[in-house]
Amino acid sequence: MKDKKEATQLQTQELLAMYRDMVRIREFEEACPSLYSQGKMGGFLHLYSGQEAVGVGVAHAIHKDDYMIAAYREHGLILAKGTPPGPVMAELFGKATGVSRGKGGSMHMFDPELRFMGGYGIVGGHLPLAVGMGYAIQYQQKDEVVVCLFGDGATNQGVFHEAMNLAALYQVPVVFVCENNMYGIGTAVGRASAVEQLYKKSCAYETPGVKVDGMDVLKVYEEVRQAVHRARAGEGPTYIEALTYRFRGHSISDPGTYRSEQEKKLWKERDPIPNFGRWLVAEGKASEDELKKIDAEEKQLIEEAIRFAEESPDPGPEELWTDVYVQS
Amino acid sequence: MPLITCRDAINQALREEMERDPNVLIMGEDVALYEGSFKVTKGLLAKFGEKRVIDTPISEAGFTGMGCGAAMVGLRPIVELMTVNFGILALDQIMNNVAVIRYMFGGKVKVPLTIRSPGGAGNQLGAQHSHSIEAMLMHCPGLRVVVPSVPADAKGLLKSAIRSDDPVFFVEHEGLYGVKGEVPEGEYTIPLGVADVKRAGKDVTLICLSKMVYVCLDAAEKLAEEGIDAEVLDLRGLNPLDVPAIVDSVTKTGRALTVEECWLTGGWGGEIAAVIMEHAFDALAAPVLRVASADVPMPYNKALEQAAIPDVGRVMARVREVMKY
Ligand SMILES: Cc1ncc(C[n+]2csc(CCOP(=O)(O)OP(=O)(O)O)c2C)c(N)n1
C-alpha cells in the first residue's frame, strides 16, 4: 500500500461502485413488472429484488476474468458481473440484440466476454457445469476461479451432492454460493431440507462451509474474497450460505401469500441498499447528495436500456434454425 | 352436464380416488400448502391431511423412486412432477425402475404408480421449460402413457390410471388447464388405450392428442369450407396404442396425417406412420404425412416459438398436400 489516503480513496470508489451496482439491479428489476404487464416480455420472470447484496458482493470479490454461473433468478447477477442493462433488457423483450439473441429469455442470460456463463432453468442443473469449468481452469493452469450461485432448493437435488463431491475430489477452484432466501417457490426451507443450516451440507465432502449475512454486501464480499483466495491458491472449493430474502414472489405470477406480512416487513427493514447507503454516509464515504446522484443516474440508465430494448429488432424468422449446430 | 375446466376435472378425479381408496396418496413439489404450481391439487391438503398430500423437496429422482417403492409394497401413490422438464431428472427412476421392475422380477411384483405431469410449449418459457416427452415415454415398454385433451377424458382416464396396476405416466398440457368442457356427473371411468373420434370425416384422418386436438379440430372446420372432410382421431394416449381405431379410420378415409407437439425426428408420428403401413397399407391413397415441432430447442422469442409449434395453417397446408395424391 503506497499512500494511506490513496488507499482510502480507492476503497471509497469501490464502495460506491458496489452501491451503484445494487441500485442498478434494483432499478432494473423494479422496472420489469409493469413492462411485463404491458406484454413486452413473456414467460417466467423471477426477480432479484432484495438479494442484491449477494450478487454484488460476489462480483466485486472476483476478477473480470473469473467466471460466474447461476440459476434462473439471474438478471441481477449478470448486471453485477458488468453486462450493460440494454442487452439484458433486450433479452427479456426477446430481441435480436439480447444477450442470448432473444432465444433464451429471462432464465437464460449469457455473456461469455464478461464470463457470465449462463442462467439455467433446471434447479441444480448447472452445479456440475461449474465443476467442469473449474476443472478446465486447473487443467489449463490458469489463475481463475468460478463462482456458482444457486438457491436453497437446489441443495436438495442429488446433483448438488454429486457436484460437491466432484469439486472436493478434484479440488477445483469453485466457490459455491447458496442464496438462501428461505423458500423454494412456496415451500420454506425447514419443510424441504432435513438440515436447516444449509452451510453444514458441505461437511460431508470435507469442504469448508460458512454462513454469511446476505443482506450485507461487505460481509458477502469479505467471505467470497477469502474463498476465492483459497481457490486461487489451489486449496479447493468453498461453500458459502448467504442468508437473504426475495422481496417479491417467486415469479411474476406468484403473489407470495405463504409469507407473513410480519416476516416481509422485518426483512424489508434489512433492505441491503438503503442500509448500505446509510452506512456510507455515517462513515463519511459519501454524502447523501452523492448517493442521490447515483440513484438518479442509474434510473436514467435503466430508462435508456428500456428504450434500447424497445427500439431493437426482433430476430428474423430464419433464426428459428440457426445455432442448433455449429455447422448445419 | 356441468361445464368445467381440465384443472377442475383432474382435481375431481384425484379427490374421488383418494376418497375411494385410502392407499391413494399424492406427493410432489408444492402440491400441499401451495396447492400445486398450476393449482391442480387445490383443497386436497385441507381434506386429506399432510400424510396423504405430501410436499416434497425439489428432488425429482428421489421422490419418484420413493413413489415406486411405496407402490411395490401396497400403496397407490400419485407422484406429481411439477412439469415434464423436471420429470426428466426422474427419468432414471422411471426407465430403470418404474417401467422394468415387474418384468425384471418375473412378474412377482406390481407397481401401481401414477405419475402426473404438465408439459408442452407455448408460453415463452424457453428451451428448458417447454418439453414434450410423450414420444420418449412411449418408447419405454412397461410404462403406460396417457395424454388427455378434454376435461371429461382427463377425469375418466386419470381415474383409470390411478386404479391401474401398471405404472402410468399421465401427461397434462399446461395450455389446457383452463379449457372448459362438459364433464358427466357421477362416477365414470374411461379405459386406457381407447382412442376417440373427436370429429367424424371421410377424406383424411388427422391423428393427434393433447393440445393438438384443438389445432386439428380448428383446421378441420376450416378445411370443411374448402370441401375437405377431415376426421380428427384423438389417441388419448400412446401406450396402450389403439391400433384398431387407427386402422378403422384410415381404412375409411384412405389418408392420414399425424399432428404432434413432440419433435419431428423420433417423434411418435413416425411410429404411427409405420403402424399404418403395417396394418392398413392397402387402404392408403397417399403416403402418411407428419406435422410436428421444429427440430430445435424451443426459442424464447414469441414469434420464433409460435413458428416452432404446429398450428392450424401448417396442418391445413399438409392436408391439402396429402389430398393431392
Ligand atoms: C429440477 C427442477 N424442479 C423443479 C423446478 C421448478 N422450480 C423452479 S424454481 C423452484 C424453486 C427453487 O428454489 P430455490 O432453489 O431455493 O431458488 P430461489 O427460487 O429461491 O431463488 C422450483 C421448484 C425446476 N425449475 N427445476
Side-chain angles (χ1 to χ4, degrees):
Chain A
M1 211 174 290
K2 300 171 218 160
D3 174 325
K4 208 170 177 187
K5 199 159 158 247
E6 197 185 339
T8 338
Q9 194 68 37
L10 263 180
Q11 222 186 6
T12 300
Q13 268 178 17
E14 181 87 22
L15 293 169
L16 289 182
M18 286 176 169
Y19 178 80
R20 180 182 289 279
D21 287 354
M22 288 201 283
V23 171
R24 177 175 304 169
I25 296 168
R26 180 68 58 87
E27 287 292 338
F28 184 99
E29 296 292 66
E30 292 303 312
C32 286
S34 92
L35 295 165
Y36 190 91
S37 56
Q38 292 164 42
K40 307 245 156 121
M41 322 169 166
F44 287 147
L45 186 69
H46 309 94
L47 299 175
Y48 197 61
S49 299
Q51 301 186 204
E52 293 91 346
V54 184
V56 171
V58 164
H60 281 263
I62 61 180
H63 299 158
K64 210 166 175 243
D65 282 349
D66 292 330
Y67 296 91
M68 230 155 107
I69 182 167
Y72 47 81
R73 196 181 299 285
E74 89 289 22
H75 312 162
L77 296 169
I78 192 170
L79 290 171
K81 194 73 172 77
T83 303
V88 179
M89 190 59 83
E91 188 59 36
L92 291 176
F93 279 49
K95 296 298 182 77
T97 53
V99 285
S100 302
R101 298 209 183 101
K103 285 181 172 177
S106 166
M107 298 188 285
H108 310 300
M109 304 274 177
F110 198 74
D111 188 343
E113 266 134 63
L114 284 163
R115 304 213 157 170
F116 185 83
M117 298 310 282
Y120 297 82
I122 302 298
V123 170
H126 64 293
L127 273 69
L129 305 186
V131 178
M133 289 166 195
Y135 193 87
I137 288 167
Q138 204 177 48
Y139 187 86
Q140 294 169 351
Q141 300 185 344
K142 298 230 169 99
D143 186 34
E144 297 158 355
V145 298
V146 183
V147 181
C148 176
L149 294 113
F150 49 90
D152 42 277
T155 69
N156 300 317
Q157 280 288 2
V159 76
F160 165 82
H161 298 277
E162 296 183 22
M164 290 296 292
N165 184 53
L166 289 164
L169 185 64
Y170 304 123
Q171 288 288 291
V172 293
V174 176
V175 181
F176 294 97
V177 177
C178 173
E179 296 193 67
N180 182 2
N181 61 20
M182 309 197 302
Y183 290 88
I185 307 191
T187 303
V189 169
R191 301 185 58 250
S193 181
V195 177
E196 262 194 79
Q197 299 290 325
L198 299 182
Y199 72 94
K200 290 184 180 166
K201 290 197 180 188
S202 69
C203 78
Y205 308 101
E206 294 185 349
T207 292
V210 286
K211 184 171 183 159
V212 63
D213 178 1
M215 300 308 259
D216 185 330
V217 67
L218 293 181
K219 288 196 176 133
V220 174
Y221 167 84
E222 189 47 37
E223 211 57 74
V224 176
R225 206 184 57 82
Q226 285 180 29
V228 162
H229 184 74
R230 266 202 299 279
R232 268 194 237 288
E235 290 166 34
T238 304
Y239 172 65
I240 299 170
E241 174 194 354
L243 203 61
T244 181
Y245 202 72
R246 56 170 156 74
F247 287 167
R248 291 180 166 272
H250 167 71
S251 69
I252 193 89
S253 58
D254 169 25
T257 43
Y258 43 86
R259 308 189 298 182
S260 71
E261 290 308 317
Q262 161 87 358
E263 179 184 298
K264 281 188 256 190
K265 189 167 158 280
L266 277 176
W267 281 93
K268 219 46 210 237
E269 281 163 14
R270 306 202 49 225
D271 190 329
I273 302 174
N275 280 347
F276 186 53
R278 274 190 289 274
W279 181 86
L280 287 171
V281 174
E283 292 291 308
K285 306 284 181 192
S287 68
E288 275 182 37
D289 283 347
E290 279 174 274
L291 297 187
K292 280 206 186 107
K293 187 158 166 276
I294 293 177
D295 295 350
E297 283 168 3
E298 291 304 318
K299 199 175 175 64
Q300 169 92 27
L301 189 72
I302 299 309
E303 277 162 18
E304 281 161 25
I306 296 168
R307 206 166 318 128
F308 171 79
E310 261 162 5
E311 287 165 4
S312 289
D314 273 308
E318 70 285 355
E319 289 292 324
L320 180 61
W321 295 100
T322 58
D323 296 322
V324 182
Y325 304 101
V326 174
Q327 286 163 327
S328 43
Chain B
M1 275 193 275
L3 208 60
I4 64 169
T5 60
C6 258
R7 174 184 288 109
D8 289 340
I10 294 167
N11 181 270
Q12 281 183 10
L14 295 171
R15 188 184 296 261
E16 289 174 18
E17 290 309 297
M18 289 180 77
E19 275 167 0
R20 203 183 54 85
D21 181 351
N23 283 324
V24 175
L25 45 92
I26 181 154
M27 53 203 271
E29 288 154 17
D30 279 310
V31 298
L33 258 192
Y34 197 72
E35 303 190 306
S37 60
F38 293 94
K39 302 296 162 200
V40 173
T41 49
K42 202 165 179 160
L44 297 185
L45 173 67
K47 184 159 172 58
F48 298 105
E50 59 185 20
K51 242 176 132 173
R52 293 183 69 192
V53 185
I54 308 158
D55 272 331
T56 63
I58 311 170
S59 311
E60 285 82 1
F63 66 76
T64 303
M66 187 177 152
C68 179
M72 290 168 76
V73 294
L75 298 187
R76 305 189 83 85
I78 302 163
V79 163
E80 174 178 307
L81 291 164
M82 191 178 275
T83 78
V84 296
N85 311 278
F86 323 139
I88 296 170
L89 278 72
L91 218 46
D92 161 53
Q93 288 299 321
I94 293 166
M95 295 181 74
N96 281 323
N97 284 337
V98 172
V100 304
I101 275 176
R102 177 170 174 80
Y103 184 86
M104 188 166 77
F105 297 133
K108 288 187 176 165
V109 65
K110 56 185 189 191
V111 183
L113 172 71
T114 302
I115 302 172
R116 296 177 33 243
S117 188
N123 279 314
Q124 281 195 270
L125 298 180
Q128 295 185 324
H129 280 69
S130 302
H131 287 103
S132 293
I133 63 167
E134 295 87 87
M136 275 162 70
L137 299 169
M138 178 196 206
H139 191 59
C140 185
L143 185 68
R144 300 304 192 187
V145 183
V146 179
V147 196
S149 61
V150 298
D153 290 356
K155 180 171 177 184
L157 289 167
L158 182 54
K159 285 167 79 89
S160 295
I162 295 167
R163 295 181 197 182
S164 165
D165 280 340
D166 289 323
V168 180
F169 200 111
F170 191 89
V171 186
E172 300 161 12
H173 198 292
E174 287 168 32
L176 295 184
Y177 279 131
V179 169
K180 284 191 173 165
E182 290 190 331
V183 173
E185 275 167 301
E187 163 76 15
Y188 75 100
T189 58
I190 297 172
L192 306 185
V194 181
D196 185 43
V197 176
K198 288 282 191 291
R199 180 190 196 279
K202 58 179 181 6
D203 295 332
V204 55
T205 305
L206 307 183
I207 302 170
C208 51
L209 47 70
S210 191
K211 202 178 170 190
M212 289 300 133
V213 170
Y214 297 87
V215 172
C216 290
L217 286 171
D218 267 8
E221 287 312 311
K222 296 212 167 78
L223 288 162
E225 293 164 19
E226 299 176 16
I228 300 170
D229 187 16
E231 177 146 308
V232 176
L233 183 67
D234 179 358
L235 292 175
R236 302 201 290 196
L238 293 168
N239 182 3
L241 183 66
D242 194 347
V243 175
I246 297 169
V247 170
D248 283 354
S249 179
V250 176
T251 305
K252 182 171 76 169
T253 63
R255 292 178 168 84
L257 186 76
T258 62
V259 182
E260 64 183 311
E261 206 181 298
C262 293
W263 285 303
L264 180 74
T265 304
W268 55 255
E271 177 65 26
I272 303 294
V275 164
I276 294 171
M277 285 202 283
E278 281 168 355
H279 298 275
F281 185 72
D282 291 341
L284 283 178
V288 180
L289 297 188
R290 293 178 293 163
V291 177
S293 283
D295 280 336
V296 303
M298 198 56 75
Y300 164 75
N301 175 276
K302 192 178 185 128
L304 293 183
E305 184 185 42
Q306 289 306 316
I309 312 167
D311 60 14
V312 174
R314 271 175 66 201
V315 172
M316 289 174 68
R318 291 295 266 173
V319 168
R320 288 187 202 112
E321 236 176 283
V322 88
M323 292 306 296
K324 279 197 193 127
Y325 286 90

